[in-house]
Amino acid sequence: NIVYSGLLSTVTGVDLLIEAFKKVSNPNARLYISGKGDLEQYVKEAERQDKRIIYKGFLDHSEYYNLLKSAHIFVNPRNMHLLQNQTNFPSKVLEYLASGRLIVSTKFMGWEKYKENMYFVESEVENLAEGIQYVIDNYSEIAAGVYEVNRKIAKTLTWENQINLF
């Protein structure tokens, strides 16, 4: 189960994610998308075209946490070619880290700090597709050590710890 949850927009790269997922060859892979935004119809159309894509809509807290628990891989497909993404941090990756699951992400500002915690790719459909496929194909080997590493860093990312950096 591959999960993206958040704003359905070109800014967050949902269009890149859908186009990339279409290139993933594994027939058992499922892409679960939740959220709302201006690409909602685009996501619904992708769901109609590819039965491996499941749109969950905008979820309440309990449904959202159940979706997170079902994930094997999270994806942060933010389109870093867009100006508005050049200086922001995708906060959703903090929640993804706390889950201890595998994460495929485009290279956001400061990504180097998290290179031991996520599999990073460039903001291109082909790169994202290759990254997702690689993580699926090597899931057993990669997943073995990810939980502890990601939970450890997530515990350091508290509000108190972040304030003390300044």
Side-chain angles (χ1 to χ4, degrees), residues 60-147:
D60 67 30
H61 284 298
S62 65
E63 293 171 316
Y64 173 67
Y65 289 119
N66 284 336
L67 179 62
L68 294 184
K69 287 178 192 173
S70 75
H72 295 96
I73 302 165
F74 287 107
V75 182
N76 173 53
R78 191 167 291 253
N79 186 342
M80 297 309 295
H81 296 301
L82 299 177
L83 185 60
Q84 59 264 53
N85 285 335
Q86 297 299 309
T87 57
N88 66 19
F89 181 84
S91 58
K92 81 168 65 276
V93 300
L94 300 178
E95 197 159 55
Y96 292 174
L97 279 170
S99 75
R101 303 299 202 292
L102 293 174
I103 303 165
V104 176
S105 179
T106 54
K107 293 178 179 176
F108 51 82
M109 188 171 122
W111 69 272
E112 298 89 350
K113 178 179 178 183
Y114 302 95
K115 62 184 176 186
E116 301 299 320
N117 307 95
M118 301 177 210
Y119 187 82
F120 285 100
V121 298
E122 298 297 330
S123 293
E124 307 294 339
V125 168
E126 200 60 46
N127 296 107
L128 191 54
E130 289 171 5
I132 293 168
Q133 188 70 57
Y134 176 82
V135 171
I136 290 170
D137 292 346
N138 297 282
Y139 183 83
S140 297
E141 298 84 46
I142 300 169
V146 166
Y147 181 81

Side-chain angles (χ1 to χ4, degrees), residues 5 98 128 150:
S5 184
L128 191 54
N150 284 359

